[in-house]
Amino acid sequence: PFHIRHEAVTQPSRFRGYLRPMEEARSVLERFERIESMRRANAGPVELLAELRALLLEAEEWARIEGGDAGDAAVARLRDALARDMIEA
């Protein structure tokens, strides 16, 4: 005889929260591509700096959501590079 189950057979995905970090990572990668495209098109420093600042904000958000030392270290290096370039400019 067949038994009818009244409870859910599958468990909710434990990866449901995984989409947000993926969206943040995608945003960071798209920003990298946009910056590289602008650089190849000889964009001016003001435009590139604006994109780099936006990249920093997106990378900080990604690192906050994703967690981990590698992301934090990458954001810190980007922040330091931007600060150094602004001081030297």
Side-chain angles (χ1 to χ4, degrees):
F2 292 101
H3 295 272
I4 298 174
R5 289 189 162 175
H6 294 284
E7 71 273 355
V9 176
T10 59
Q11 299 298 319
S13 173
R14 58 187 168 102
F15 299 110
R16 184 170 295 171
Y18 190 67
L19 289 178
R20 178 92 191 268
M22 289 294 290
E23 291 170 2
E24 296 300 328
R26 185 175 297 117
S27 177
V28 168
L29 292 174
E30 288 172 357
R31 181 74 61 181
F32 272 128
E33 290 171 4
R34 188 167 36 255
I35 291 168
E36 181 58 23
S37 175
M38 290 173 68
R39 189 189 64 76
R40 284 192 306 267
N42 296 318
V46 172
E47 292 85 8
L48 285 172
L49 185 57
E51 287 295 318
L52 289 167
R53 286 178 176 154
L55 173 64
L56 177 59
L57 294 175
E58 290 172 352
E60 286 172 335
E61 180 68 10
W62 169 75
R64 185 185 66 76
I65 291 169
E66 185 72 19
D69 294 337
D72 290 339
V75 169
R77 286 192 305 272
L78 177 58
R79 189 180 302 113
D80 290 345
L82 282 172
R84 188 174 48 253
D85 287 344
M86 286 190 286
I87 291 170
E88 292 174 3

